[in-house]
């Protein structure tokens, strides 16, 4: 896993966006798996500005939502689909039929999962996957202990993930389950970027990079991926930096 640390939040945003523009220029038909959450929103806004100023286009690309919560109204602003719509898709030129998302309220959830897996595989898997990191090291809804070959499926969220969802919804009816793309397709993505900013991610980043590689901390599995990068700002990398400096002093 490449470790890329940027001095400020702004340079993190600018550099991730510049690399993303590069990938879209090299392959305009890029098949992407994208997260919602707080981490990527400023980067999404920068991509929106990039499209508006003609620097890049999403026209021929394709986007798969990483996951979605269950038990929320379809128009709940905290749903992954709706966050992606609001923070990215409303600002870029990707047509509606090129955006795939998971309908967690469907009657036959097994079928929804099967169809999503088949669609991912029909596209030959993901070219580029962006991920945030949970405070417990989860990747999307792949909570600690998830099997490394799991596919899109229904997941009961861990306590810290339920708590964190309070930051996305505007009511107290927090989701307790969801459906998420499994580690098989995330780890099978041709390129993966793990994004982290802010000091609250510093501890888990240190563990993901220096602790054991184990599905007990799903983000650590990216260290075995042939083309993964951890892209962090200085705050998220602060404990990692301190540990490296100590080791060299
Ligand atoms: P965040 O969530 O981007 O809102 O910090 C990341 C995650 O839990 O995967």
């Amino acid at each position: 896993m490449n470790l890329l640390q940027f001095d400020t939040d702004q340079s993190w945003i600018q550099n991730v966006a510049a690399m993303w523009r590069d990938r879209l220029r090299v392959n305009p038909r890029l098949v992407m798996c994208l997260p919602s959450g707080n981490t990527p929103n400023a980067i999404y806004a920068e991509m929106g500005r990039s499209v508006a100023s003609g620097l890049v286009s999403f026209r021929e690309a394709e986007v798969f939502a990483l996951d979605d919560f269950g038990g929320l109204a379809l128009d709940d602003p905290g749903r992954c689909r709706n966050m992606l719509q609001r923070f990215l898709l409303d600002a870029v030129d990707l047509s509606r039929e090129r955006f795939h998302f998971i309908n967690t309220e469907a009657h036959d959830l097994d079928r929804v999962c099967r169809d999503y897996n088949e669609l991912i595989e029909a596209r030959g898997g993901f070219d580029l996957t962006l991920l945030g990191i949970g405070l417990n090291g989860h990747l999307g809804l792949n909570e600690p202990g998830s099997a490394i070959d799991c596919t899109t499926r229904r997941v009961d969220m861990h306590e810290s993930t339920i708590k964190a969802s309070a930051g996305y919804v505007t009511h107290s009816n927090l989701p307790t389950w969801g459906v998420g793309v499994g580690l098989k397709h995330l780890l099978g993505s041709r390129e993966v970027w793990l994004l982290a900013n802010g000091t609250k991610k510093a501890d888990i980043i240190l563990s993901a990079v220096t602790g054991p590689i184990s599905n007990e901390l799903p983000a650590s599995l990216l260290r075995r991926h042939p083309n993964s990068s951890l892209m962090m700002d200085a705050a998220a990398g602060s404990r990692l930096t301190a540990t490296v400096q100590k080791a060299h002093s």
Side-chain angles (χ1 to χ4, degrees), residues 36-40 132-135 138 140 164 168 200-201:
S36 59
N38 294 319
T39 305
I133 181 168
L135 292 173
H138 72 207
Y168 315 136
K200 74 171 196 269
K201 297 292 170 71

Side-chain angles (χ1 to χ4, degrees), residues 19-32 56-62 123 125-128 190:
M19 284 185 267
W20 195 353
R21 289 193 297 265
D22 170 72
R23 300 303 187 269
L24 279 163
R25 286 191 202 112
V26 170
N27 178 10
R29 308 190 67 145
L30 205 66
V31 177
M32 294 167 278
V56 76
S57 174
F58 281 67
R59 216 172 303 121
E60 294 179 55
E62 217 162 331
R123 296 297 184 274
F126 303 130
D127 295 310
L128 176 65
R190 277 176 276 292

Side-chain angles (χ1 to χ4, degrees), residues 170-231:
T170 52
H171 48 76
S172 56
N173 178 29
L174 301 182
T176 57
W177 65 275
V179 175
V181 174
L183 289 173
K184 175 180 173 192
H185 292 128
L186 300 184
L187 299 173
S189 179
R190 277 176 276 292
E191 184 166 12
V192 183
W193 296 351
L194 182 62
L195 307 173
N197 66 337
T199 44
K200 74 171 196 269
K201 297 292 170 71
D203 286 339
I204 194 66
I205 287 295
L206 177 67
S207 306
V209 175
T210 63
I213 297 178
S214 157
N215 65 340
E216 289 307 322
L217 200 165
S220 69
L221 299 170
L222 294 172
R223 283 155 57 198
R224 286 211 195 105
H225 188 283
N227 190 10
S228 68
S229 300
L230 166 57
M231 301 180 179

Side-chain angles (χ1 to χ4, degrees), residues 8-249:
T8 62
D9 199 47
Q10 266 313 307
S11 65
W12 172 73
I13 295 163
Q14 296 300 330
N15 279 285
V16 176
M19 284 185 267
W20 195 353
R21 289 193 297 265
D22 170 72
R23 300 303 187 269
L24 279 163
R25 286 191 202 112
V26 170
N27 178 10
R29 308 190 67 145
L30 205 66
V31 177
M32 294 167 278
C33 179
L34 299 180
S36 59
N38 294 319
T39 305
N41 291 341
I43 296 165
Y44 290 165
E46 186 58 26
M47 293 307 281
R49 285 188 287 276
S50 300
V51 169
S53 54
L55 285 174
V56 76
S57 174
F58 281 67
R59 216 172 303 121
E60 294 179 55
E62 217 162 331
V63 169
F64 285 77
L66 171 64
D67 49 26
D68 221 328
F69 297 132
L72 298 182
L74 285 176
D75 62 354
D76 194 300
R79 276 185 171 273
C80 178
R81 175 200 174 176
N82 299 334
M83 290 179 81
L84 270 173
Q85 184 70 48
R86 204 158 70 248
F87 290 107
L88 180 70
L89 300 168
D90 285 348
V92 301
D93 53 350
L94 184 98
S95 57
R96 198 160 258 285
E97 64 276 8
R98 289 179 170 274
F99 174 41
H100 310 290
F101 54 87
I102 304 166
N103 179 8
T104 54
E105 305 316 304
H107 180 62
D108 188 349
L109 212 47
D110 286 344
R111 170 136 205 195
V112 166
C113 295
R114 212 166 44 240
D115 288 350
Y116 211 61
N117 287 323
E118 281 174 12
L119 194 57
I120 294 167
E121 275 162 28
R123 296 297 184 274
F126 303 130
D127 295 310
L128 176 65
T129 296
L130 271 57
L131 295 166
I133 181 168
L135 292 173
N136 63 358
H138 72 207
L139 297 175
L141 285 178
N142 295 284
E143 299 280 24
S146 300
I148 59 168
D149 59 351
C150 65
T151 55
T152 307
R153 74 223 177 281
R154 185 193 194 282
V155 176
D156 288 323
M157 290 153 58
H158 285 199
E159 206 48 50
S160 68
T161 310
I162 295 173
K163 246 196 212 153
S165 74
Y168 315 136
V169 299
T170 52
H171 48 76
S172 56
N173 178 29
L174 301 182
T176 57
W177 65 275
V179 175
V181 174
L183 289 173
K184 175 180 173 192
H185 292 128
L186 300 184
L187 299 173
S189 179
R190 277 176 276 292
E191 184 166 12
V192 183
W193 296 351
L194 182 62
L195 307 173
N197 66 337
T199 44
K200 74 171 196 269
K201 297 292 170 71
D203 286 339
I204 194 66
I205 287 295
L206 177 67
S207 306
V209 175
T210 63
I213 297 178
S214 157
N215 65 340
E216 289 307 322
L217 200 165
S220 69
L221 299 170
L222 294 172
R223 283 155 57 198
R224 286 211 195 105
H225 188 283
N227 190 10
S228 68
S229 300
L230 166 57
M231 301 180 179
M232 59 199 148
D233 71 351
S238 55
R239 289 218 54 211
L240 186 59
T241 307
T243 305
V244 172
Q245 281 168 351
K246 203 165 156 204
H248 288 284
S249 65

